[in-house]
PDB file of all heavy atoms in Angstrom:
ATOM      1  N   VAL A1221      11.986-252.639   8.753  1.00  0.00           N
ATOM      2  CA  VAL A1221      13.132-252.030   9.439  1.00  0.00           C
ATOM      3  C   VAL A1221      13.919-251.222   8.417  1.00  0.00           C
ATOM      4  O   VAL A1221      14.102-251.644   7.274  1.00  0.00           O
ATOM      5  CB  VAL A1221      14.023-253.129  10.049  1.00  0.00           C
ATOM      6  CG1 VAL A1221      15.300-252.549  10.633  1.00  0.00           C
ATOM      7  CG2 VAL A1221      13.253-253.902  11.108  1.00  0.00           C
ATOM      8  N   ALA A1222      14.369-250.063   8.828  1.00  0.00           N
ATOM      9  CA  ALA A1222      15.152-249.222   7.910  1.00  0.00           C
ATOM     10  C   ALA A1222      16.429-249.932   7.477  1.00  0.00           C
ATOM     11  O   ALA A1222      17.056-250.648   8.268  1.00  0.00           O
ATOM     12  CB  ALA A1222      15.499-247.904   8.593  1.00  0.00           C
ATOM     13  N   ALA A1223      16.786-249.743   6.215  1.00  0.00           N
ATOM     14  CA  ALA A1223      18.010-250.356   5.704  1.00  0.00           C
ATOM     15  C   ALA A1223      19.219-249.811   6.469  1.00  0.00           C
ATOM     16  O   ALA A1223      19.238-248.649   6.893  1.00  0.00           O
ATOM     17  CB  ALA A1223      18.157-250.062   4.218  1.00  0.00           C
ATOM     18  N   VAL A1224      20.220-250.643   6.646  1.00  0.00           N
ATOM     19  CA  VAL A1224      21.446-250.269   7.361  1.00  0.00           C
ATOM     20  C   VAL A1224      22.579-250.173   6.340  1.00  0.00           C
ATOM     21  O   VAL A1224      22.871-251.133   5.629  1.00  0.00           O
ATOM     22  CB  VAL A1224      21.783-251.303   8.448  1.00  0.00           C
ATOM     23  CG1 VAL A1224      23.107-250.965   9.119  1.00  0.00           C
ATOM     24  CG2 VAL A1224      20.664-251.370   9.478  1.00  0.00           C
ATOM     25  N   SER A1225      23.205-249.026   6.285  1.00  0.00           N
ATOM     26  CA  SER A1225      24.284-248.810   5.318  1.00  0.00           C
ATOM     27  C   SER A1225      25.573-249.486   5.790  1.00  0.00           C
ATOM     28  O   SER A1225      25.748-249.770   6.984  1.00  0.00           O
ATOM     29  CB  SER A1225      24.535-247.314   5.149  1.00  0.00           C
ATOM     30  OG  SER A1225      25.144-246.800   6.323  1.00  0.00           O
ATOM     31  N   PRO A1226      26.500-249.737   4.864  1.00  0.00           N
ATOM     32  CA  PRO A1226      27.801-250.288   5.287  1.00  0.00           C
ATOM     33  C   PRO A1226      28.507-249.407   6.304  1.00  0.00           C
ATOM     34  O   PRO A1226      29.158-249.907   7.218  1.00  0.00           O
ATOM     35  CB  PRO A1226      28.576-250.362   3.962  1.00  0.00           C
ATOM     36  CG  PRO A1226      27.520-250.504   2.914  1.00  0.00           C
ATOM     37  CD  PRO A1226      26.376-249.664   3.404  1.00  0.00           C
ATOM     38  N   ALA A1227      28.383-248.086   6.153  1.00  0.00           N
ATOM     39  CA  ALA A1227      29.044-247.189   7.108  1.00  0.00           C
ATOM     40  C   ALA A1227      28.447-247.342   8.505  1.00  0.00           C
ATOM     41  O   ALA A1227      29.182-247.364   9.506  1.00  0.00           O
ATOM     42  CB  ALA A1227      28.917-245.744   6.633  1.00  0.00           C
ATOM     43  N   GLU A1228      27.127-247.453   8.595  1.00  0.00           N
ATOM     44  CA  GLU A1228      26.493-247.673   9.901  1.00  0.00           C
ATOM     45  C   GLU A1228      26.892-249.028  10.476  1.00  0.00           C
ATOM     46  O   GLU A1228      27.206-249.161  11.661  1.00  0.00           O
ATOM     47  CB  GLU A1228      24.977-247.608   9.757  1.00  0.00           C
ATOM     48  CG  GLU A1228      24.416-246.260   9.394  1.00  0.00           C
ATOM     49  CD  GLU A1228      22.930-246.340   9.112  1.00  0.00           C
ATOM     50  OE1 GLU A1228      22.531-247.036   8.152  1.00  0.00           O
ATOM     51  OE2 GLU A1228      22.173-245.706   9.855  1.00  0.00           O
ATOM     52  N   ALA A1229      26.859-250.043   9.635  1.00  0.00           N
ATOM     53  CA  ALA A1229      27.143-251.397  10.101  1.00  0.00           C
ATOM     54  C   ALA A1229      28.592-251.554  10.533  1.00  0.00           C
ATOM     55  O   ALA A1229      28.905-252.435  11.338  1.00  0.00           O
ATOM     56  CB  ALA A1229      26.819-252.402   8.994  1.00  0.00           C
ATOM     57  N   ALA A1230      29.478-250.712  10.006  1.00  0.00           N
ATOM     58  CA  ALA A1230      30.895-250.813  10.369  1.00  0.00           C
ATOM     59  C   ALA A1230      31.083-250.670  11.877  1.00  0.00           C
ATOM     60  O   ALA A1230      32.022-251.233  12.446  1.00  0.00           O
ATOM     61  CB  ALA A1230      31.699-249.748   9.625  1.00  0.00           C
ATOM     62  N   ARG A1231      30.184-249.938  12.525  1.00  0.00           N
ATOM     63  CA  ARG A1231      30.308-249.745  13.971  1.00  0.00           C
ATOM     64  C   ARG A1231      30.126-251.053  14.737  1.00  0.00           C
ATOM     65  O   ARG A1231      30.575-251.189  15.875  1.00  0.00           O
ATOM     66  CB  ARG A1231      29.301-248.701  14.448  1.00  0.00           C
ATOM     67  CG  ARG A1231      29.493-247.315  13.861  1.00  0.00           C
ATOM     68  CD  ARG A1231      28.730-246.275  14.660  1.00  0.00           C
ATOM     69  NE  ARG A1231      27.292-246.490  14.619  1.00  0.00           N
ATOM     70  CZ  ARG A1231      26.483-245.952  13.718  1.00  0.00           C
ATOM     71  NH1 ARG A1231      26.985-245.145  12.800  1.00  0.00           N
ATOM     72  NH2 ARG A1231      25.187-246.194  13.734  1.00  0.00           N
ATOM     73  N   SER A1232      29.404-252.000  14.126  1.00  0.00           N
ATOM     74  CA  SER A1232      29.131-253.265  14.802  1.00  0.00           C
ATOM     75  C   SER A1232      30.016-254.392  14.304  1.00  0.00           C
ATOM     76  O   SER A1232      29.949-255.509  14.824  1.00  0.00           O
ATOM     77  CB  SER A1232      27.662-253.673  14.557  1.00  0.00           C
ATOM     78  OG  SER A1232      26.791-252.635  14.931  1.00  0.00           O
ATOM     79  N   ALA A1233      30.817-254.116  13.292  1.00  0.00           N
ATOM     80  CA  ALA A1233      31.607-255.170  12.662  1.00  0.00           C
ATOM     81  C   ALA A1233      32.885-255.446  13.436  1.00  0.00           C
ATOM     82  O   ALA A1233      33.345-254.626  14.241  1.00  0.00           O
ATOM     83  CB  ALA A1233      31.955-254.765  11.233  1.00  0.00           C
ATOM     84  N   LEU A1234      33.462-256.597  13.183  1.00  0.00           N
ATOM     85  CA  LEU A1234      34.773-256.894  13.724  1.00  0.00           C
ATOM     86  C   LEU A1234      35.759-255.866  13.196  1.00  0.00           C
ATOM     87  O   LEU A1234      35.671-255.437  12.044  1.00  0.00           O
ATOM     88  CB  LEU A1234      35.200-258.306  13.314  1.00  0.00           C
ATOM     89  CG  LEU A1234      34.220-259.437  13.688  1.00  0.00           C
ATOM     90  CD1 LEU A1234      34.680-260.752  13.076  1.00  0.00           C
ATOM     91  CD2 LEU A1234      34.091-259.553  15.196  1.00  0.00           C
ATOM     92  N   ALA A1235      36.711-255.472  14.028  1.00  0.00           N
ATOM     93  CA  ALA A1235      37.622-254.382  13.670  1.00  0.00           C
ATOM     94  C   ALA A1235      38.319-254.582  12.322  1.00  0.00           C
ATOM     95  O   ALA A1235      38.433-253.624  11.543  1.00  0.00           O
ATOM     96  CB  ALA A1235      38.652-254.194  14.783  1.00  0.00           C
ATOM     97  N   PRO A1236      38.779-255.783  11.982  1.00  0.00           N
ATOM     98  CA  PRO A1236      39.471-255.944  10.692  1.00  0.00           C
ATOM     99  C   PRO A1236      38.575-255.667   9.476  1.00  0.00           C
ATOM    100  O   PRO A1236      39.083-255.411   8.384  1.00  0.00           O
ATOM    101  CB  PRO A1236      39.921-257.414  10.712  1.00  0.00           C
ATOM    102  CG  PRO A1236      39.983-257.767  12.166  1.00  0.00           C
ATOM    103  CD  PRO A1236      38.859-257.008  12.798  1.00  0.00           C
ATOM    104  N   LEU A1237      37.257-255.740   9.665  1.00  0.00           N
ATOM    105  CA  LEU A1237      36.340-255.541   8.538  1.00  0.00           C
ATOM    106  C   LEU A1237      36.005-254.069   8.292  1.00  0.00           C
ATOM    107  O   LEU A1237      35.481-253.721   7.230  1.00  0.00           O
ATOM    108  CB  LEU A1237      35.035-256.308   8.774  1.00  0.00           C
ATOM    109  CG  LEU A1237      35.129-257.813   8.991  1.00  0.00           C
ATOM    110  CD1 LEU A1237      33.742-258.400   9.167  1.00  0.00           C
ATOM    111  CD2 LEU A1237      35.850-258.482   7.830  1.00  0.00           C
ATOM    112  N   ARG A1238      36.284-253.216   9.259  1.00  0.00           N
ATOM    113  CA  ARG A1238      35.795-251.836   9.167  1.00  0.00           C
ATOM    114  C   ARG A1238      36.377-251.051   7.993  1.00  0.00           C
ATOM    115  O   ARG A1238      35.635-250.365   7.277  1.00  0.00           O
ATOM    116  CB  ARG A1238      36.029-251.115  10.495  1.00  0.00           C
ATOM    117  CG  ARG A1238      35.154-251.682  11.612  1.00  0.00           C
ATOM    118  CD  ARG A1238      35.484-251.136  12.982  1.00  0.00           C
ATOM    119  NE  ARG A1238      34.764-251.887  14.013  1.00  0.00           N
ATOM    120  CZ  ARG A1238      35.074-251.889  15.298  1.00  0.00           C
ATOM    121  NH1 ARG A1238      36.108-251.160  15.722  1.00  0.00           N
ATOM    122  NH2 ARG A1238      34.384-252.604  16.160  1.00  0.00           N
ATOM    123  N   PRO A1239      37.689-251.134   7.731  1.00  0.00           N
ATOM    124  CA  PRO A1239      38.198-250.396   6.559  1.00  0.00           C
ATOM    125  C   PRO A1239      37.552-250.835   5.256  1.00  0.00           C
ATOM    126  O   PRO A1239      37.297-250.012   4.368  1.00  0.00           O
ATOM    127  CB  PRO A1239      39.701-250.716   6.590  1.00  0.00           C
ATOM    128  CG  PRO A1239      39.994-251.057   8.019  1.00  0.00           C
ATOM    129  CD  PRO A1239      38.770-251.766   8.512  1.00  0.00           C
ATOM    130  N   GLN A1240      37.271-252.123   5.125  1.00  0.00           N
ATOM    131  CA  GLN A1240      36.632-252.618   3.907  1.00  0.00           C
ATOM    132  C   GLN A1240      35.200-252.082   3.785  1.00  0.00           C
ATOM    133  O   GLN A1240      34.754-251.712   2.690  1.00  0.00           O
ATOM    134  CB  GLN A1240      36.627-254.143   3.908  1.00  0.00           C
ATOM    135  CG  GLN A1240      36.265-254.785   2.564  1.00  0.00           C
ATOM    136  CD  GLN A1240      36.375-256.296   2.627  1.00  0.00           C
ATOM    137  OE1 GLN A1240      36.397-256.891   3.697  1.00  0.00           O
ATOM    138  NE2 GLN A1240      36.452-256.923   1.457  1.00  0.00           N
TER     139      GLN A1240
END
Side-chain angles (χ1 to χ4, degrees):
V1221 174
V1224 176
S1225 71
E1228 293 173 297
R1231 298 196 297 269
S1232 306
L1234 305 173
L1237 302 182
R1238 292 172 189 162
Q1240 193 176 18

